[in-house]
Amino acid sequence: MKINDFNFAGKKAIVRVDFNVPLDENGKITDDTRIRGAVPTLKKILDEGGALIIMSHMGKPKGKVNPKLSLGQITDAVSAALGVPVQFAPDCAKAKAQADALKPGEVLLLENLRFYPEEEGKPVGVEKGTPEFDEAKKALKVSQKEFAKTLASYADCYVMDAFGTAHRKHASTAVIDEFFTKENKMLGLLMEKEVAAVDAVLGNIKRPFTAIMGGSKVSTKIGIIENLLGKVDNLILCGGMTYTFAKAQGGEIGNSIVELDKLDVALDVMKKAKENGVNLVLGTDCVAADKFANDANTQVVPSNAIPEGWEGLDAGPETRKAFAEAIESAKTILWNGPAGVFEFDNFIGGSKAIADAIAKATANGAFSLIGGGDSVACINKFGMADQVSYISTGGGALLEAIEGKVLPGVAAIEA
C-alpha cells in the first residue's frame, strides 16, 4: 500500500521512526534532522484524522533500561515539531491502555524500544559463539515475535519510516509487519524518498557517475567499493583509507592510520578499478600533523612520503584539485565519508573542497546524494545542505542499499 492512497481517518497508526538523535550532557538535542525528516509522515496522519503512536530506539542500551537513553527527553521537541501535545508511554511493551485511549489527532510516544532485548533479538549477558548464546538467541526469536505482536496490537495500521534502521531485522522494522495485512502496512513519506534517492543513483544513472568514499577503514567499506567498481566512472577514495593505499604501494606513511592486514585488498581494488575502466582517484598529497590535535604543527607532504612521527589528517591542495575535477564533471554523485579529520577546524579543507565541488556540479544539473553521519555532519557544518540534491538520514542502511543488499525494513512492507 502507498501511504498517499491510505485514508487514516479514525485509524490508529503505529509509526517506526528514527529518533536516534544526538543529545548533549543535559539531554538537549544537538541536531534534530531526524525528527524534522519524519514530520511530513506524522503530520499527514494527524491531518487526516488519525491517532498516532510513535516508536523509535535511541543509542545502544543493549536490552537494559538506561535513563540517559530515554525518549522521554525528547517529548517536548517532538511536540514542538508536530504542533500538538505528545503523551509519553514509559514502557513501550505496556502501553496498550494509553494506545486504546488515544483519540483522533492525539499522539503517543513510546519509550526506547531497545530497552527490551527482544527488539534487536540479541541475547544480553551471554558470550557470543557459545551454545548458551545460540540457545538464548533461539528463545529470543520466539519472544521477539511476541514483542512485535504487542506493539502491533496498539494500532490498526503500520508505517515504516525509519530508513536509518531499515537494514536491521528488528521487531519494530521487519517482524511487526507480519501482524498487518498488505493493505494496512506501508512505507512512510521519508522512506519513499530515501528509496527513490537510492534508485536515482543506482537505478537511473546519468553519467559520468562519481562516488566519493571516505572514512578511516577500507575494511568497513570494501563491499560498497567493490559494488561501485561495476557502476561508477570515477571513484574517489579518501580519508584514513588514503594511507592504507599508500602503504600498499610501498609508501612511507609515518604515524598515519593504516590497516596493515588490508594492503592486499587495497592492491586488489586498484587492479579491479583498472580492469573495469574506472578512474580511481587517490590522494597524492596530504596535510600532515605532528600530533592528533587541532593545534598541531602541519606541513603539506606527498601521501606516500610522510615523515616519521607525523600523520596525515587531511587531503592536500593537489589532491583537492583532483577530487574537484572528478566531481565537477559528474552528472550523478554519491558522497559517503569525509576527506580528513573534519571535526578539527584546521583539517576541514579536503572535505570542504569536496562539498564545494558537489554544490557546483549540482547547480549544473547533477544529482547528488549525501549519506552517512559524517558526510551529513560535514554538509551541515558548512551550511550547504540546500546546495545538494538529497541528504539521506541513513548511514548503514544507505551503504547496504548501495552494496546491493535487500533491506529487511523495505522488503517486509513489499512482501
Side-chain angles (χ1 to χ4, degrees):
M1 170 65 70
K2 294 281 186 188
I3 190 168
N4 281 328
D5 296 331
F6 192 86
N7 183 3
F8 290 98
K11 304 280 188 187
K12 287 192 175 98
I14 188 161
V15 186
R16 177 53 159 108
V17 297
D18 182 6
F19 282 177
N20 183 26
V21 293
L23 305 175
D24 65 17
E25 60 277 6
N26 300 313
K28 298 294 179 194
I29 297 169
T30 57
D31 182 355
D32 68 349
T33 303
R34 286 174 171 166
I35 292 176
R36 284 187 284 109
V39 164
T41 293
L42 303 179
K43 277 196 166 177
K44 176 181 171 57
I45 293 164
L46 294 175
D47 290 347
E48 290 184 7
L52 190 55
I53 299 141
I54 304 171
M55 57 178 175
S56 179
H57 74 285
M58 181 180 278
K60 298 179 179 179
K62 298 184 177 175
K64 293 177 182 173
V65 174
N66 181 345
K68 288 184 177 175
L69 297 174
S70 171
L71 287 170
Q73 300 171 93
I74 69 168
T75 307
D76 289 346
V78 176
S79 178
L82 293 178
V84 295
V86 172
Q87 302 170 44
F88 183 64
D91 187 330
C92 63
K94 295 174 183 171
K96 180 77 171 143
Q98 282 175 278
D100 285 350
L102 279 183
K103 295 180 176 64
E106 293 186 338
V107 184
L108 177 66
L109 174 65
L110 305 183
E111 181 56 288
N112 193 338
L113 296 163
R114 289 188 185 173
F115 284 177
Y116 279 84
E118 287 85 353
E119 164 63 3
E120 296 182 88
K122 285 182 189 171
V124 177
V126 190
E127 195 179 333
K128 201 171 182 181
T130 62
E132 291 80 12
F133 181 89
D134 294 338
E135 282 302 311
K137 193 163 185 185
K138 204 181 289 181
L140 253 185
K141 197 165 186 182
V142 175
S143 52
Q144 186 183 51
K145 190 164 264 200
E146 284 304 310
F147 180 64
K149 188 177 182 181
T150 297
L151 296 172
S153 73
Y154 301 159
D156 305 304
C157 55
Y158 166 65
V159 182
M160 172 57 175
D161 210 28
F163 186 68
T165 61
H167 59 313
R168 306 289 185 208
K169 194 169 177 28
H170 290 171
S172 66
T173 61
V175 182
I176 189 173
D177 64 283
E178 295 175 26
F179 302 99
F180 293 94
T181 63
K182 202 170 177 66
E183 293 73 36
N184 288 291
K185 58 182 180 180
M186 65 214 80
L187 298 179
L189 297 171
L190 179 62
M191 279 287 289
E192 285 187 347
K193 277 168 66 180
E194 295 277 7
V195 171
V198 171
D199 189 55
V201 168
L202 299 183
N204 183 30
I205 299 169
K206 292 184 174 63
R207 298 193 179 277
F209 178 13
T210 295
I212 306 122
M213 288 285 134
S216 57
K217 294 181 175 180
V218 180
S219 55
T220 58
K221 301 277 173 85
I222 188 59
I224 300 105
I225 290 169
E226 288 183 339
N227 186 263
L228 287 171
L229 284 172
K231 294 182 168 70
V232 299
D233 302 291
N234 304 295
L235 178 60
I236 294 170
L237 298 181
C238 55
M241 285 192 279
T242 301
Y243 311 106
T244 296
F245 278 86
K247 184 74 175 172
Q249 296 172 84
E252 296 296 331
I253 59 167
N255 289 349
S256 303
I257 189 170
V258 65
E259 289 180 286
L260 293 173
D261 61 336
K262 293 291 180 285
L263 302 184
D264 57 335
V265 173
L267 292 173
D268 191 49
V269 166
M270 295 176 75
K271 180 170 170 279
K272 283 180 179 170
K274 197 171 184 180
E275 289 170 356
N276 282 290
V278 172
N279 174 33
L280 183 63
V281 186
L282 296 166
T284 54
D285 64 346
C286 69
V287 179
D290 61 355
K291 61 179 177 179
F292 189 81
N294 189 48
D295 62 354
N297 294 309
T298 63
Q299 59 175 317
V300 174
V301 296
S303 302
N304 60 0
I306 300 171
E308 200 174 318
W310 292 67
E311 57 187 309
L313 295 188
D314 195 11
E318 290 305 315
T319 298
R320 294 173 201 177
K321 279 183 202 164
F323 289 175
E325 199 175 304
I327 294 166
E328 287 175 16
S329 62
K331 288 299 174 194
T332 303
I333 302 164
L334 168 69
W335 183 23
N336 176 271
V341 187
F342 77 99
E343 297 88 345
F344 295 154
D345 286 348
N346 288 333
F347 299 98
I348 63 172
S351 300
K352 182 66 165 63
I354 288 173
D356 285 339
I358 292 174
K360 193 171 179 182
T362 307
N364 287 330
F367 179 87
S368 53
L369 171 59
I370 318 298
D374 285 344
S375 306
V376 175
C378 272
I379 282 288
N380 288 334
K381 182 171 183 171
F382 304 146
M384 297 173 68
D386 59 344
Q387 296 178 54
V388 300
S389 304
Y390 192 76
I391 295 177
S392 176
T393 57
L398 176 68
L399 293 184
E400 291 203 10
I402 291 162
E403 204 174 329
K405 291 182 178 177
V406 173
L407 301 181
V410 176
I413 297 295
E414 293 174 347

